[in-house]
Amino acid sequence: MSYLVLARKYRPRGFDAMVGQEHVVQALANALTQQRLHHAYLFTGTRGVGKTTVSRILAKSLNCTGPDGSGGITASPCGVCDACRDIDAGRFVDYVELDAASNRGVDEISQLLDQAVYKPVLGRFKVYMIDEVHMLSTTAFNAMLKTLEEPPEYLKFVLATTDPQKVPPTVLSRCLQFNLRPMAPQTVQEHLARVLGEEGIASEPGALRLLARAARGSMRDALSLTDQAIAFGGGALAEAGVRQMLGAVDRSHAVRILEALAAGDGAGLVAAVDALRGLGLSAAGTLEELATLLQQMAVLQAVPEAGDTDDPDAPTVARLAGLLPADETQLVYSIALHGRAELALAPDEYSGLMMVLLRALAFRPAGGPAARAPDTAATAAARPRPAPSTVASAPSRPTLAAAAAAAPAPAALRVEAPEPPPWLDAPDELAPADEAAAIAAPPAVPAPLAAPTVNATPLGDRWNALVRRMVEANTIGALVRELALQAQCIGVEQSVWTLRVERETLRSAANVDKLQEALGAALGAPVRLVVEAGAVDDSPARREAAERARRQAEAEQIIHDDPLVRALLAQYKTARIVPGSVKPH
């Protein structure tokens, strides 16, 4: 008898057996119960989260006849009627699964749609399930649009994809879309424990925890890895064997690294990296385990009661959380995350790991482990507000540059700290009297940009109104519109309009003729346009530029007159308002 892998043997047969997708199960179960059935469904999500499984359960729900053959549409298919058994076995004639990765052309889709005109042979509904639908060609998508929008009442479409961004919006708008989420490691671990319990296979919680994390949210991956681990362990799952199979880094290495960081022990960090190199363990896996441990420490430091009491490593996490202050935990966590991306750029991954850990050591905040007690809720509330001082002695405004300059380097790595930049010599706070005087004294306001001068005339008002009317009516465009905006009206005698334009390129005969025609249409009578060369001081364009400059100046003046802005400019001597950053509404 052939062996059936765990991922297929324990595929859920009903909605009640699904785990980790409660939001999808609830929506579909309610729709089936209330008979509010859509004609097309789209299931999205990463591999192994249950897209095909949900499709098969939905097909069974639509076609189930019950144990006695008299049942109807239900959210709980019986699993024993002919329709349920045939769908599970993959031989139900009215349930068609199409792999779009290998049947992506218009011919395959057309052949499938040609069968849609025939009613179901055995079932209540005909269900077409198209997997990896984003792989279909553009012509194939276009071929199915009409049928997908208005299918026969007995036809249901179920589409599944791991990349919904590649599905055309015309298809998305015709479907109900459900996003199946990656499963939490705890959910995967609990399901693996149930499966192994039914299989009668002994397992250690640490081994299941490693498998759940390695699955990355995919239940199928978790069950496949479990199959591999059973074979590797000879029928049992031990944590050491699973860790060896996955190549995972033992937590003791991450604990040793954090203890060396907390003690400022550079030699200990170098020895830890050498040990990892000797064992052939992954540098990326080390940083991943380090980040996981730091995340658990940060949670414990912020919310002590949020610790996982069932985790055998909980006492170790609690001990490490007391060695590092909360801000340093966050800093090392960030360095570990960014360090994983830099490993590919290093000469080799172990030298990259070494530099990441030495960076975490070099950027440790000033004071060292003895002088800086870890933050707790009580100590944070009782900590007095620091007195006004320079940045070098004020931990209320930490920066990486200040921390790197002030932190004592280990003996083997000690270097001369660079002089702080000049802006760090300014005091953080002003005395009350100085602050009041600074607020009272208005800060220097940069001179606004010079606005173009406009010598407004009645003819200019009339011409400006006419140009605006033609622009809004879209009767002039491109160079003709630019000619009208840059022109100044200097005379009107009966039907003759005289304009003055400075730019020679705008005064072409073709542009003048088009503007003359548009002007006659706007006035309702034929006109003749005369355009001469010369400087202008009243044109629609100059008026618009002058208005923009006025509004800009008003906006900048409002910002400079704001009391908060004046206080900030007075407190921080090098502060300034970036030119161009103020925009009028």
Side-chain angles (χ1 to χ4, degrees):
M1 181 177 179
S2 61
Y3 173 70
L4 191 63
V5 298
L6 296 178
R8 294 181 58 190
K9 183 177 181 180
Y10 289 94
R11 182 191 292 270
R13 310 294 183 185
F15 288 127
D16 56 343
M18 291 199 66
V19 294
Q21 307 297 346
E22 290 77 9
H23 61 296
V24 176
V25 170
Q26 179 179 346
L28 292 177
N30 290 339
L32 290 165
T33 302
Q34 300 171 11
Q35 306 289 301
R36 299 179 63 90
L37 303 176
H38 203 270
H39 59 268
Y41 298 87
L42 175 64
F43 298 122
T44 67
T46 59
R47 77 271 180 269
V49 293
K51 300 184 293 297
T52 303
T53 298
V54 173
S55 170
R56 293 181 180 178
I57 297 174
L58 180 60
K60 289 194 294 184
S61 299
L62 294 173
N63 290 291
C64 179
T65 59
D68 56 358
S70 61
I73 298 174
T74 176
S76 302
C78 66
V80 297
C81 67
D82 291 340
C84 290
R85 287 189 287 105
D86 288 348
I87 291 175
D88 285 335
R91 59 174 181 263
F92 191 64
V93 67
D94 293 320
Y95 176 68
V96 180
E97 287 189 2
L98 180 71
D99 178 22
S102 54
N103 300 276
R104 60 189 307 268
V106 65
D107 294 337
E108 291 86 350
I109 293 298
S110 297
Q111 183 178 359
L112 181 69
L113 296 178
D114 288 342
Q115 304 299 318
V117 299
Y118 302 108
K119 289 188 176 182
V121 177
L122 299 175
R124 192 179 295 113
F125 290 94
K126 182 177 289 189
V127 181
Y128 286 168
M129 193 277 181
I130 305 178
D131 199 9
E132 297 300 338
V133 69
H134 68 274
M135 301 287 287
L136 290 179
S137 64
T138 303
T139 52
F141 273 123
N142 293 335
M144 66 183 294
L145 283 181
K146 188 60 180 176
T147 307
L148 185 63
E149 182 176 10
E150 297 178 357
E153 60 181 6
Y154 52 79
L155 180 61
K156 303 295 181 184
F157 281 95
V158 179
L159 311 180
T161 178
T162 56
D163 195 355
Q165 288 80 12
K166 294 183 179 179
V167 179
T170 51
V171 174
L172 294 177
S173 65
R174 290 165 166 81
C175 303
L176 283 185
Q177 184 171 345
F178 296 92
N179 182 28
L180 280 72
R181 305 164 184 162
M183 303 190 194
Q186 185 62 29
T187 302
V188 176
Q189 181 178 345
E190 293 173 356
H191 185 68
L192 291 181
R194 286 194 296 269
V195 168
L196 292 174
E198 293 185 18
E199 289 288 310
I201 296 176
S203 61
E204 296 180 359
L208 299 185
R209 190 179 302 111
L210 288 172
L211 292 172
R213 285 176 49 190
R216 306 289 184 184
S218 170
M219 189 64 75
R220 182 173 62 231
D221 287 5
L223 291 170
S224 298
L225 288 172
T226 303
D227 263 325
Q228 182 180 352
I230 293 172
F232 185 88
L237 272 70
E239 181 177 358
V242 172
R243 189 179 296 279
Q244 183 181 358
M245 181 194 78
L246 296 175
V249 177
D250 189 89
R251 172 152 289 192
S252 61
H253 295 283
V255 171
R256 190 180 312 148
I257 289 172
L258 283 179
E259 289 174 342
L261 283 174
D265 183 7
L269 290 178
V270 174
V273 175
D274 288 341
L276 291 168
R277 188 196 302 269
L279 294 173
L281 296 178
S282 165
T286 302
L287 290 177
E288 180 180 355
E289 184 65 32
L290 187 64
T292 302
L293 185 55
L294 287 164
Q295 181 264 336
Q296 295 174 350
M297 292 167 52
V299 171
L300 202 60
Q301 289 170 342
V303 187
E305 61 272 14
D308 185 3
T309 55
D310 297 332
D311 188 352
D313 294 330
T316 302
V317 175
R319 179 177 62 82
L320 292 174
L323 295 180
L324 289 178
D327 57 349
E328 191 169 344
T329 301
Q330 297 289 339
L331 177 63
V332 179
Y333 177 78
S334 179
I335 291 175
L337 285 186
H338 288 84
R340 290 181 64 190
E342 298 174 2
L343 290 180
L345 304 176
D348 63 82
E349 65 173 4
Y350 293 106
S351 63
L353 174 62
M354 179 78 74
M355 288 304 298
V356 171
L357 299 180
L358 293 181
R359 184 184 310 153
L361 182 65
F363 284 165
R364 294 182 65 238
R372 303 182 70 244
D375 289 335
T376 62
T379 58
R383 185 184 296 113
R385 181 181 179 184
S389 163
T390 61
V391 171
S393 61
S396 60
R397 193 174 66 189
T399 63
L400 289 181
L413 305 171
R414 189 174 301 279
V415 296
E416 292 296 330
E419 293 186 1
W423 59 81
L424 294 184
D425 293 334
D428 275 354
E429 301 180 5
L430 297 176
D434 296 337
E435 185 174 356
I439 294 176
V445 179
L449 296 176
T453 58
V454 177
N455 184 18
T457 62
L459 276 177
D461 295 339
R462 184 180 179 187
W463 175 246
N464 186 68
L466 274 172
V467 172
R468 296 301 168 198
R469 190 194 315 170
M470 290 187 290
V471 170
E472 292 173 0
N474 203 26
T475 57
I476 55 176
L479 291 177
V480 180
R481 181 180 61 225
E482 191 65 20
L483 170 62
L485 291 173
Q486 299 291 343
Q488 176 180 355
C489 183
I490 59 175
V492 179
E493 293 184 5
Q494 296 181 356
S495 61
V496 179
W497 287 65
T498 304
L499 304 179
R500 179 182 297 157
V501 179
E502 185 173 1
R503 290 168 55 185
E504 181 180 358
T505 55
L506 297 177
R507 299 195 302 269
S508 67
N511 292 340
V512 173
D513 290 342
K514 291 179 181 179
L515 181 57
Q516 177 177 285
E517 182 181 352
L519 182 59
L523 295 173
V527 297
R528 186 165 67 88
L529 204 58
V530 178
V531 179
E532 63 180 40
V536 301
D537 56 11
D538 183 15
S539 66
R542 290 180 72 87
R543 290 190 177 205
E544 183 178 351
E547 176 63 18
R548 285 199 305 267
R550 183 190 64 79
R551 295 177 62 239
Q552 179 69 27
E554 288 183 356
E556 292 178 356
Q557 192 60 47
I558 291 173
I559 293 297
H560 284 286
D561 290 343
D562 186 270
L564 178 60
V565 175
R566 293 156 64 93
L568 290 173
L569 291 174
Q571 181 177 359
Y572 300 98
K573 300 302 184 182
T574 58
R576 64 189 181 93
I577 297 176
V578 178
S581 62
V582 179
K583 301 294 182 184
H585 287 295

